[in-house]
Each structure stands twice: as C-alpha cells, then as structure tokens.
Amino acid sequence: MTLTVVTALVMLVGLVGIVVPVLPGLALVWLATGLWAFEHPDRRAWVVFALATTLFAAGVVTRYLVPGRRMREAGIGAPTLFLAVALAVVGFFVVPVVGAPAGFVLGIFLAETARRRDRALAWVATRHALRAV
C-alpha cells in the first residue's frame, strides 16, 4: 500500500514536470509506472508498463526529431548543432542551472556568425533555433 502511494506521488510530480521543464516529467512517470508494475506482478500491470514504455520512447524520439527538422528547415546545419550541444555541456558544468541553455544559445550564435559572417543574420538563425527547440 505504501509503495502505491509513493508511486502515485512520483507520477504526480512527473505530471508537473511535463508542464514545468525543470523536472524530467516523462521519465518520472515512466519510472513510477515501472515501480507500480513491479509491485503488482500481474500480466495486466506489465502490459500497462509496456504501453508506457512505448509512449515514453515515442516521446523521447519526438522531442529530438521535431526540433531538429525545424532547425534544418531554418537553414541551421549539423555543425552548428554540434557546437551548440558541446557548449551546452561545457556550460552545464561551468555555470550550474543556467549554463546549459546559455551555452546552447552561444554555440548557435557563434557558429552562425562564423558561417554567415553577419551578426544580424546569425541572431535571426539563433532565434529560429530557439523557437524550434
């Protein structure tokens, strides 16, 4: 009974995390579903967990494919994204909490400035990338 209450609370936190991007909402709901299925070793519980796993995988794939497609449509290539992700990782460790988003934006801006040789056009591309993400 206690594990069921904990599972429900984790799911509620996960649902809040889907709306508030600070928490890994989708992952929390998926993990809570797995915890629930482990607590109830019934075939139906594992079918629910398999369905949750399918939805989780679809959500993760969609989270990365849709912004990537939108960025390609805006003319932002893979080298720009590579630099943006690299600076986001560095920024995450240098400045906790805000370093990753700041590094991502800075990476796009620097790569597009080098590619286009015009800061105004680079800023337009950076804004397109941010809207896509």
Side-chain angles (χ1 to χ4, degrees):
M1 182 69 171
T2 304
L3 193 57
T4 301
V5 172
V6 170
T7 301
L9 289 174
V10 171
M11 281 187 171
L12 284 174
V13 170
L15 288 174
V16 169
I18 290 171
V19 177
V20 179
V22 174
L23 301 169
L26 191 59
L28 284 174
V29 172
W30 177 74
L31 287 172
T33 306
L35 183 66
W36 174 80
F38 185 72
E39 180 187 356
H40 299 89
D42 183 15
R43 181 174 178 232
R44 289 175 289 178
W46 290 105
V47 168
V48 169
F49 182 62
L51 179 62
T53 301
T54 303
L55 292 173
F56 175 73
V60 169
V61 167
T62 301
R63 183 183 339 172
Y64 293 108
L65 287 182
V66 171
R69 182 177 50 98
R70 288 182 183 163
M71 283 192 248
R72 281 192 305 276
E73 289 172 358
I76 298 168
T80 299
L81 291 177
F82 178 75
L83 180 63
V85 169
L87 285 180
V89 170
V90 170
F92 176 78
F93 290 106
V94 173
V95 183
V97 181
V98 296
F104 183 79
V105 172
L106 182 65
I108 291 174
F109 181 73
L110 291 176
E112 289 299 308
T113 300
R115 187 173 77 115
R116 297 173 190 251
R117 308 268 185 228
D118 183 6
R119 285 186 174 196
L121 291 175
W123 184 244
V124 169
T126 303
R127 285 196 334 250
H128 281 296
L130 291 177
R131 272 190 235 127
V133 172

